[in-house]
């Protein structure tokens, strides 16, 4: 199969490309705004460009993929607040254009990255796909809009498609600079011999999912003979998550054990906008394309720490 990965030089993209390239022809479109060329697999076809560029259609047609995994995005909540227009352009309009290019190029399937941010403050835990949606920031709003723009663009075509709402992803190659993910930030601090800071009392929960499980979900969805857009009757959005809550204190305890860090973590006041509890119910992904998260958090954290201790 020929698989085009937009955002293939980023955190999730690099992990995905490295797995796909063992069995498939892989192409990457990435503007390297947050991705890194040094992480791009040498055997991948690479086009450095913005997905908003007018030659997107011809780049997609040139690689002629069977499937597109659309990960390219403005992925930072903080940046979305600073520059909501750019966030909207890349995430909402960019996704519409990738979907349109896919239809023109005769692609069979598009899997597009969405986020737990589309739900906003969780009203129940774990959240099913049809839960109330009230995003709390421009990033969540652009991701939610991207889902419907892709659906509008592809509704009257034969392209199969799905939006995957990832929970909190962590693992090797995650960027800890800027906003980063909390686990990448903890690992980078520990690698420097410094005590990480926990905002809040550490009892807050997230649905932390190891990037290897995200790769597993995407490869399972690329392989399935089932229609993703039909979604077993409930539409093209899927939570891709562990369905479990992990406290920040559990993360800290596992990383202390893995790293041998003997000092305490520092506790500070909670930050505005941080929710207390969060998890997504991923039962639908199991029902439709037979995927569930397999990597327990202690193993994922140990693997992540090993990578940061060698590369961080
Ligand atoms: N990491 C998480 O916890 C998480 C959670 C939910 C959803 N997601 C989504 O998963 C996807 C991948 O996220 P990530 O964590 O790997 O982020 P990332 O920033 O590491 O990767 C995004 C990639 O897209 C590229 N890119 C950005 N804007 C572009 C543009 N206009 N044109 C072409 N390329 C562009 C960047 O250079 C980068 O390589 C994103 O869509 C993100 O919103 C991530």
């Amino acid at each position: 199969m020929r698989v085009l990965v937009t955002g293939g030089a980023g955190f999730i993209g690099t992990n995905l490309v490295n797995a796909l390239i063992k069995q498939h022809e892989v192409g990457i479109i990435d503007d390297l705004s947050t991705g890194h060329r040094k992480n791009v697999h040498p055997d991948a076809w690479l086009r450095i460009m913005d997905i908003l560029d007018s030659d997107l259609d011809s780049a997609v047609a040139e690689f002629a993929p069977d499937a597109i995994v659309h990960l390219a995005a403005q992925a930072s909540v903080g940046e979305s607040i600073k520059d909501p227009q750019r966030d909207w352009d890349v995430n909402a309009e960019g996704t519409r254009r990738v979907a349109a290019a896919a239809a023109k190029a005769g692609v069979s399937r598009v899997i597009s990255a969405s986020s737990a941010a589309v739900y906003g403050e969780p009203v129940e835990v774990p959240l099913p796909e049809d839960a109330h949606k009230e995003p709390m920031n421009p990033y969540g709003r652009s991701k939610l809009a991207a889902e419907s723009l892709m659906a509008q663009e592809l509704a009257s075509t034969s392209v199969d498609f799905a939006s995957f709402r990832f929970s909190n992803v962590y693992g090797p190659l995650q960027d800890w600079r800027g906003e980063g993910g909390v686990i990448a930030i903890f690992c980078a601090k520990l690698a420097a011999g410094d005590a990480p800071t926990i905002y809040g009392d550490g009892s807050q929960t997230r649905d932390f999912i190891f990037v290897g499980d995200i790769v597993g979900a995407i490869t399972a969805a690329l392989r399935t003979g089932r229609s993703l857009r039909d979604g077993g009757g409930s539409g093209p959005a899927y939570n891709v998550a562990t369905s479990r809550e992990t406290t920040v204190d559990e993360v800290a305890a596992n990383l202390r054990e893995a790293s041998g860090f003997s000092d305490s973590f520092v506790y500070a006041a909670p930050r505005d906008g941080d929710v207390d509890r969060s998890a997504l119910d991923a039962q639908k992904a199991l029902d439709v394309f037979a995927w569930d998260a397999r990597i327990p958090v202690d193993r994922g954290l140990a693997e992540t720490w090993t990578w940061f201790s060698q590369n961080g």
Side-chain angles (χ1 to χ4, degrees):
M1 199 194 295
R2 296 176 68 79
V3 185
L4 180 65
V5 182
T6 71
F11 159 49
I12 296 173
T14 304
N15 281 284
L16 177 66
V17 168
N18 290 346
L20 288 177
I21 210 143
K22 293 172 192 156
Q23 289 182 28
H24 305 285
E25 295 290 318
V26 180
I28 294 171
I29 288 180
D30 198 300
D31 69 355
L32 303 180
S33 52
T34 57
H36 302 282
R37 189 176 189 144
K38 67 173 169 25
N39 295 338
V40 170
H41 196 287
D43 296 340
W45 176 96
L46 171 67
R47 179 63 47 86
I48 299 171
M49 65 182 291
D50 190 325
I51 52 167
L52 294 168
D53 284 355
S54 56
D55 52 348
L56 177 70
D57 288 1
S58 58
V60 173
E62 185 184 326
F63 183 70
D66 301 300
I68 296 181
V69 181
H70 173 47
L71 303 175
Q74 190 305 106
S76 151
V77 171
E79 283 302 317
S80 82
I81 294 165
K82 277 190 219 148
D83 190 350
Q85 186 63 52
R86 174 71 186 163
D87 178 80
W88 180 269
D89 290 346
V90 176
N91 293 359
E93 175 61 13
T95 299
R96 192 193 65 72
R97 291 194 196 178
V98 168
K104 277 190 202 141
V107 166
S108 304
R109 180 167 281 165
V110 181
I111 295 167
S112 179
S114 188
S115 167
V118 302
Y119 296 105
E121 179 116 41
V123 287
E124 56 189 298
V125 178
L127 281 167
E129 285 84 358
D130 59 1
H132 176 69
K133 289 167 202 72
E134 201 170 331
M136 297 192 293
N137 45 57
Y139 171 72
R141 288 191 280 277
S142 67
K143 283 292 191 183
L144 189 55
E147 293 188 6
S148 32
L149 288 167
M150 176 170 72
Q152 277 169 34
E153 202 62 53
L154 297 178
S156 58
T157 71
S158 59
V159 182
D160 191 32
F161 63 93
S163 294
F164 279 9
R165 296 177 186 149
F166 303 149
S167 57
N168 291 69
V169 190
Y170 71 94
L173 287 152
Q174 189 164 26
D175 214 328
W176 56 271
R177 292 167 201 84
E179 197 165 308
V182 63
I183 292 172
I185 294 170
F186 283 2
C187 287
K189 280 275 186 193
L190 291 169
D194 297 331
T197 301
I198 294 173
Y199 295 96
D201 66 5
S203 67
Q204 66 270 39
T205 66
R206 295 290 179 271
D207 187 334
F208 291 111
I209 182 164
F210 186 63
V211 69
D213 273 328
I214 297 286
V215 169
I218 294 169
T219 49
L222 287 171
R223 272 197 312 265
T224 187
R226 296 274 302 268
S227 157
L228 298 175
R229 64 188 278 176
D230 170 49
S234 62
Y238 296 80
N239 289 335
V240 173
T242 69
S243 311
R244 283 185 213 98
E245 293 177 84
T246 303
T247 68
V248 173
D249 272 345
E250 279 172 74
V251 169
N254 275 289
L255 287 177
R256 286 186 67 189
E257 188 175 325
S259 65
F261 186 77
S262 52
D263 290 348
S264 303
F265 284 30
V266 176
Y267 287 81
R271 288 177 307 188
D272 284 351
D274 278 355
V275 298
D276 281 344
R277 297 179 63 193
S278 166
L280 304 182
D281 182 343
Q283 181 63 39
K284 187 176 156 187
L286 183 61
D287 294 343
V288 176
F289 56 90
W291 170 85
D292 61 351
R294 293 282 160 83
I295 300 159
V297 78
D298 56 345
R299 210 174 93 210
L301 287 170
E303 214 173 295
T304 305
W305 165 251
T306 301
W307 186 85
F308 273 88
S309 65
Q310 290 162 3
N311 304 276

